[in-house]
Amino acid sequence: MFDLLINDEDDESHALPRAEPVKAPSKPAESKASAPVPVSAPAPAPAKTMDTETMQRKIKGMIDEYTSIKDDMEFVECFKELGEDNFQLAVFEIANNLMDRRYSHTEQVAKGMRALRINNVLSEDTAVAGLAEYSELLEDMAIDAPNAYKFFGILVASVRVPLTRVAEALGDLATNVAASQPPAMPIVCAYIKHCVEVEGEDRMRDAVAEAKFDVAKFLGKDSAVPSALKSNELLSLFPQLA
């Protein structure tokens, strides 16, 4: 994941053997049954794009099952069954479903989302697009879901969005820093904390330096930046702001 933060065998031919030329028989030859020609199974048709209501129902079922059995690969297989054309909507609805969940559920789903990226099921571009789309609703969701920003930040980290694309995943929230408590502040802090938990503080500090990550632009007034980082135990990653 550190590298992400800073920046079949061919099928054998089934062709029939070439027939050898033969002389015409002087008498009718006995008929022989032809060997069956192997036929490749047709490729499965891609899943059609789902409507929102169907996707919401499937995502709820997936998360309910996953938080119960905690099987990462089962979560991966269930996600794949949604069809690649539906992956962006799936990311959107996973974010939506987590808003009213317990913290333990969010942490578990974060493991599953990380498994999707590690197993090359979910692309970085699709993950970022789904998150950016959901970010448009986040301020309204946060009114009734006090952990919305924190959970969203954990989700951004879990799908391995690199530091260079965090602003893209946050959409307009990345530039909405006029308030004393910008919505990007808890999101970015939760994102960085989750990355530290997974990668370790030293590797995250190196990644921040390599990417020249300007955390201050997400946290509002310059005077509030050190205190925000300190309260989240992140100030050591940004010694220039101490």
Side-chain angles (χ1 to χ4, degrees):
M1 178 176 173
F2 175 63
D3 292 337
L4 288 170
L5 289 171
I6 58 176
N7 336 301
D8 299 305
E9 301 175 352
D10 295 337
D11 293 334
E12 295 181 358
S13 172
H14 295 295
L16 294 175
R18 181 175 298 173
E20 295 292 335
V22 296
K23 296 180 181 179
S26 57
K27 61 180 180 178
E30 294 180 4
S31 62
K32 295 182 180 180
S34 304
V37 179
V39 178
S40 301
K48 295 181 179 179
T49 303
M50 293 182 195
D51 60 87
T52 300
E53 184 177 348
T54 300
M55 180 62 77
Q56 288 175 344
R57 185 175 68 252
K58 286 182 175 291
I59 292 300
K60 182 182 184 303
M62 279 176 53
I63 293 179
D64 287 346
E65 180 179 8
Y66 179 51
T67 53
S68 175
I69 66 175
K70 299 177 174 61
D71 185 330
D72 292 351
M73 292 314 299
E74 179 66 21
F75 182 84
V76 169
E77 290 304 316
C78 288
F79 189 91
K80 287 165 66 175
E81 289 175 4
L82 298 174
E84 190 172 354
D85 289 345
N86 300 304
F87 284 178
Q88 181 174 325
L89 176 59
V91 172
F92 178 100
E93 290 300 342
I94 287 171
N96 190 43
N97 189 277
L98 289 181
M99 293 300 107
D100 295 322
R101 294 271 179 172
R102 298 195 299 269
Y103 178 75
S104 60
H105 286 179
T106 299
E107 283 286 283
Q108 185 64 50
V109 171
K111 294 179 181 178
M113 298 302 286
R114 189 157 56 249
L116 293 177
R117 296 282 290 115
I118 291 172
N119 288 279
N120 299 315
V121 174
L122 178 65
S123 72
E124 180 183 302
D125 286 345
T126 300
V128 170
L131 291 168
E133 186 177 2
Y134 189 76
S135 71
E136 298 175 9
L137 307 180
L138 204 52
E139 284 189 277
D140 290 336
M141 295 299 298
I143 296 172
D144 298 316
N147 289 318
Y149 294 140
K150 180 178 181 179
F151 288 179
F152 189 75
I154 292 173
L155 190 59
V156 174
S158 71
V159 294
R160 308 172 85 189
V161 174
L163 288 162
T164 53
R165 299 190 71 179
V166 168
E168 186 180 348
L170 268 58
D172 290 342
L173 295 180
T175 56
N176 183 10
V177 295
S180 58
Q181 292 287 328
M185 180 187 293
I187 297 172
V188 171
C189 287
Y191 162 85
I192 297 174
K193 288 186 74 171
H194 191 81
C195 290
V196 169
E197 290 172 5
V198 174
E199 296 298 318
E201 185 172 333
D202 289 341
R203 296 187 73 180
M204 191 61 188
R205 183 183 297 108
D206 291 342
V208 166
E210 183 70 18
K212 299 180 180 179
F213 185 65
D214 183 11
V215 68
K217 72 179 183 180
F218 299 102
L219 305 186
K221 298 178 181 178
D222 291 344
S223 59
V225 172
S227 60
L229 293 173
K230 185 176 181 179
S231 65
N232 284 278
E233 301 178 344
L234 298 174
L235 191 55
S236 61
L237 299 175
F238 304 92
Q240 73 278 15
L241 299 174

